[in-house]
Amino acid sequence: AHQLADHMLALPTHSGAALHRPQHPDYHDYLYVDCMEVDGPFLCKLAAVTDNSTLFDAGAAQVLAYARLLQDDDTGLFYHQYNQSTKAVNGAFWGRGNGWALLGLLKTLMLLPTTHSDYSETRQRFEYLANALIGLQAASGGWHTVLDRPDSYEETSLPAMFGYGLLKAFK
C-alpha cells in the first residue's frame, strides 16, 4: 500500500490532480473522473490505518483537484474528462462517471476527519452533486446514461451507484 501511495504521489499533476497515464502518447494529458473513486479514498484509508495525517491531506487534495476541474459550476454534475493541453472538459455528463465522483467524494468524507481543512468543501461538492442527481432521476427510478439527456438510454448500474451513495450519505 505504501508503494502504491508513493507511486500515486509521484505522478505528474495538473492543478493538483494526478495524470494517471503520463507515458501514453494519446492520453497523457487527460484527467478522468473515474479516478475520484479510488485516489482520495485510498490515500485517506491509508492515512487512517497508518495514522499518517499527510496522507489525509493528499487524499483530500486529490479529490478536490479533480472536482475543481470536472464539476460544472452551474449544474453540480461532473464531466467525464479534462484535457490539460486544451484546458477543456468533454461535453457529456456521463452517468457512471458521476457515480464515480459521488462515491469518491462520499468515501473521502467518510474517512476524512471532520476537522480537516478540506472537509467542508468536499462535503459541499458532494451535496451539490447529490442534489443534482436527485433532480435528474427518471420516473422509472433510474437515470439516463448521459444525465441531462433524457433521450439517452437508462443505465442500469446507476441506481446501484447513486442509491448506495445517497443512502450512505443521508442515513
Side-chain angles (χ1 to χ4, degrees), residues 56-79:
F56 279 126
D57 297 340
Q62 274 301 303
V63 163
L64 288 177
Y66 277 98
R68 290 172 187 146
L69 291 168
L70 294 169
Q71 192 170 29
D72 181 64
D73 292 335
D74 294 330
T75 65
L77 298 173
F78 280 76
Y79 292 99

Side-chain angles (χ1 to χ4, degrees), residues 110-147:
M110 291 171 66
L111 293 161
L112 196 63
T114 58
T115 56
H116 192 278
S117 61
D118 288 330
Y119 186 89
S120 179
E121 182 182 350
T122 306
R123 183 179 170 106
Q124 289 170 351
R125 289 183 176 280
F126 174 85
E127 290 175 355
Y128 194 25
L129 173 58
N131 286 318
L133 295 173
I134 291 167
L136 291 170
Q137 189 172 22
S140 67
W143 282 267
H144 294 276
T145 193
V146 179
L147 292 169

Side-chain angles (χ1 to χ4, degrees), residues 2-157:
H2 287 288
Q3 287 177 336
L4 178 57
D6 290 344
H7 168 76
M8 290 171 66
L9 296 172
L11 288 169
T13 63
H14 175 74
S15 299
L19 291 157
H20 282 269
R21 302 176 90 184
Q23 76 289 355
H24 196 288
D26 296 326
Y27 302 110
H28 64 279
D29 282 340
Y30 290 94
L31 299 165
Y32 297 95
V33 72
D34 317 43
C35 298
M36 289 181 69
E37 201 271 336
V38 178
D39 294 8
F42 168 75
L43 293 168
C44 286
K45 183 65 174 183
L46 188 57
V49 170
T50 62
D51 201 29
N52 180 346
S53 64
T54 61
L55 292 172
F56 279 126
D57 297 340
Q62 274 301 303
V63 163
L64 288 177
Y66 277 98
R68 290 172 187 146
L69 291 168
L70 294 169
Q71 192 170 29
D72 181 64
D73 292 335
D74 294 330
T75 65
L77 298 173
F78 280 76
Y79 292 99
H80 179 215
Q81 60 185 227
Y82 176 89
N83 182 326
Q84 77 162 346
S85 293
T86 64
K87 311 247 183 291
V89 292
N90 81 355
F93 296 124
W94 178 46
R96 205 172 304 157
N98 278 266
W100 300 133
L102 184 78
L103 296 176
L105 289 163
L106 174 66
K107 290 176 182 180
T108 301
L109 285 168
M110 291 171 66
L111 293 161
L112 196 63
T114 58
T115 56
H116 192 278
S117 61
D118 288 330
Y119 186 89
S120 179
E121 182 182 350
T122 306
R123 183 179 170 106
Q124 289 170 351
R125 289 183 176 280
F126 174 85
E127 290 175 355
Y128 194 25
L129 173 58
N131 286 318
L133 295 173
I134 291 167
L136 291 170
Q137 189 172 22
S140 67
W143 282 267
H144 294 276
T145 193
V146 179
L147 292 169
D148 61 341
R149 296 277 314 267
D151 59 326
S152 66
Y153 68 90
E154 287 188 31
E155 170 63 55
T156 58
S157 66

